[in-house]
Amino acid sequence: AFLRDPGLVWKWYRWRRDLVTRAEPNPGHLALARLASVVPRLTLVTQNVDGLHQRAGSRDVIEFHGNLFVDRCFAEGCVVDCDHDAETPTCPGCGSPVRPGVVWFGEAIPESCLNEAFAAAADCDLFLSVGTSSLVYPAAGLASAAAESAALVAEINPNPTELSSRFHYSVAGNAGTVLPELVDSLNDA
């Protein structure tokens, strides 16, 4: 679709970027940023592409599906700065069309993100699976990798998922409510 009509795809992504720019991190995002200051080590892996974790204060976020605000050369895959006034931005290096830096359906997760996320899952004591359907692989495999390495696995989700029964804990609730309560309880301890 991008190669057939990159202008149309960019029109949609500009609209999407505008919406995300006006969004604010929710209490769940803010709680995860606070959690990093309470625990000795926190690795945050997100499937979100909106940058709200970073805007909430989280550092070193592994963006499993990329970032909506990063531009990449379609031909070479490298990050580029480009002219967004053009209907279809082009790579200043090779002239190829520029695309948003997100993982599209059918594309592979960047190998560095994949390796870093699975290494963190295999080396953690506690794995929180927050606000995900646990249906889309390879991301859905992170909790299993943590469990196989003897980590305690807890799911925080409004509704149970197909993997809920395999987790040690399944907390029914919205991340924006449950995560602040969890972090507050750690601060009180």
Side-chain angles (χ1 to χ4, degrees):
F2 179 74
L3 290 177
R4 272 194 316 272
D5 194 346
L8 178 64
V9 173
W10 266 110
K11 181 178 178 182
W12 185 79
Y13 272 96
R14 285 185 183 100
W15 169 79
R16 190 172 177 204
R17 284 178 171 183
D18 181 57
L19 289 178
V20 171
T21 300
R22 290 186 270 140
E24 293 295 328
N26 69 36
H29 296 109
L30 298 169
L32 288 172
R34 285 184 16 230
L35 182 61
S37 67
V38 177
V39 299
R41 178 175 53 117
L42 184 134
T43 301
L44 197 155
V45 179
T46 185
Q47 295 177 78
N48 298 337
V49 297
D50 54 24
L52 290 174
H53 285 294
Q54 293 90 330
R55 287 176 49 200
S58 290
R59 301 286 171 246
D60 301 320
V61 177
I62 300 171
E63 294 177 306
F64 216 61
H65 291 148
N67 187 304
L68 185 61
F69 296 99
V70 171
D71 298 318
R72 295 194 174 276
C73 171
F74 187 83
E76 298 174 8
C78 57
V79 174
V80 297
D81 288 320
C82 61
D83 175 12
H84 282 276
D85 291 331
E87 179 181 338
T88 304
T90 56
C91 176
C94 72
S96 172
V98 168
R99 57 163 289 174
V102 297
V103 176
W104 285 331
F105 289 103
E107 292 182 328
I109 303 297
E111 190 173 347
S112 62
C113 291
L114 196 63
N115 293 339
E116 193 176 348
F118 274 93
D123 188 39
C124 71
D125 300 315
L126 171 65
F127 185 95
L128 298 176
S129 176
V130 181
T132 181
S133 67
S134 295
L135 293 174
V136 179
Y137 285 84
L142 291 169
S144 296
E148 289 169 11
S149 296
L152 185 71
V153 179
E155 173 184 66
I156 300 170
N157 230 359
N159 302 304
T161 68
E162 289 185 14
L163 298 181
S164 296
S165 63
R166 297 169 56 191
F167 297 145
H168 295 96
Y169 297 97
S170 185
V171 180
N174 181 296
T177 302
V178 174
L179 286 172
E181 291 174 2
L182 172 68
V183 175
D184 289 343
S185 72
L186 293 173
N187 285 329
D188 295 340

